[in-house]
Amino acid sequence: MLLPLLFFLPDTVLPARSSNPQTGCAAPAASAPMWALLAVLFYTGGSLAVWSFTQRIGLSVGLAPASFGVLSAVANIAGLVVCLATVLQSRRHITSPMLVSALVLTSGVCVVQACPPTPWLFCAAFVLNYAAWFFVYPGLMGLTCLVDPTGKLASRAGGAWMFSQAATTLFASATQTHGLYLWTGLFSLTLCLCAALATLRI
């Protein structure tokens, strides 16, 4: 309903930055936009491939439906805490030095969430993956804004997220129809590691 109000926003042109104020490095290379989009594609696809079926996985390891509801509430609270911490951290750093480490951590968490050996490990992986989303995704969007201050790349990254989530959910549904949860976890592992490599390329 508020979308038409966007037409009243000013057409502000941001001054170009000659260098990255955080590291003093030169401006991003010409290939940086491509790597930024790939990082978003890989991360969102990898971390969300298991998400549509995660309740089924929880039930398969003995988690009661009511317990899954409580787990979801705890994950939401953890996500809120991470959001607040990310806001405080963003006042000191333009991009987080822990972004790549968080991507690597998420890759392992996805495997545990997809094929958990115990209910407790499933719960821990579920909360970690959910909370990490509120740290990693804003970090990746921040990178797109550094690469392209006009905001166009950030808009494309939002579209890339939607595309990758739809595509990887389709793949995950094919594997999980036959209970092949491990394959989905390994698929997520691969994509998240590719996201970490793409982020390093930026």
Side-chain angles (χ1 to χ4, degrees):
M1 291 171 59
L2 299 178
L3 192 61
L5 296 180
L6 290 174
F7 289 106
F8 295 100
L9 292 175
D11 236 354
T12 306
V13 178
L14 298 177
R17 293 174 177 167
S18 58
S19 64
N20 186 331
Q22 177 176 309
T23 61
C25 297
S31 61
M34 178 195 69
W35 287 114
L37 278 180
L38 285 176
V40 173
L41 271 169
F42 288 140
Y43 170 68
T44 54
S47 63
L48 296 174
V50 71
W51 210 255
S52 301
F53 314 94
T54 195
Q55 183 178 12
R56 181 199 282 184
I57 297 171
L59 296 176
S60 72
V61 293
L63 200 67
S67 299
F68 186 83
V70 174
L71 178 65
S72 299
V74 171
N76 272 280
I77 294 170
L80 173 61
V81 171
V82 170
C83 279
L84 296 175
T86 302
V87 169
L88 294 174
Q89 182 267 340
S90 67
R91 295 177 180 177
R92 296 188 298 271
H93 300 282
I94 295 176
T95 57
S96 174
M98 299 183 294
L99 183 57
V100 174
S101 301
L103 284 165
V104 174
L105 174 66
T106 301
S107 67
V109 165
C110 286
V111 177
V112 178
Q113 185 176 344
C115 195
T118 67
W120 285 107
L121 281 176
F122 169 80
C123 294
F126 180 91
V127 173
L128 276 173
N129 194 1
Y130 193 92
W133 172 268
F134 293 98
F135 173 77
V136 175
Y137 186 69
L140 291 177
M141 295 303 289
L143 278 182
T144 64
C145 292
L146 284 177
V147 172
D148 178 15
T150 66
K152 292 179 181 178
L153 184 61
S155 298
R156 294 188 183 106
W161 162 25
M162 295 298 180
F163 172 79
S164 64
Q165 182 177 2
T168 54
T169 300
L170 182 64
F171 168 82
S173 67
T175 60
Q176 295 191 24
T177 298
H178 304 289
L180 301 175
Y181 303 119
L182 179 60
W183 285 106
T184 303
L186 295 176
F187 178 70
S188 296
L189 170 78
T190 303
L191 288 185
C192 288
L193 289 178
C194 287
L197 291 174
T199 302
L200 284 174
R201 295 288 298 178
I202 303 170

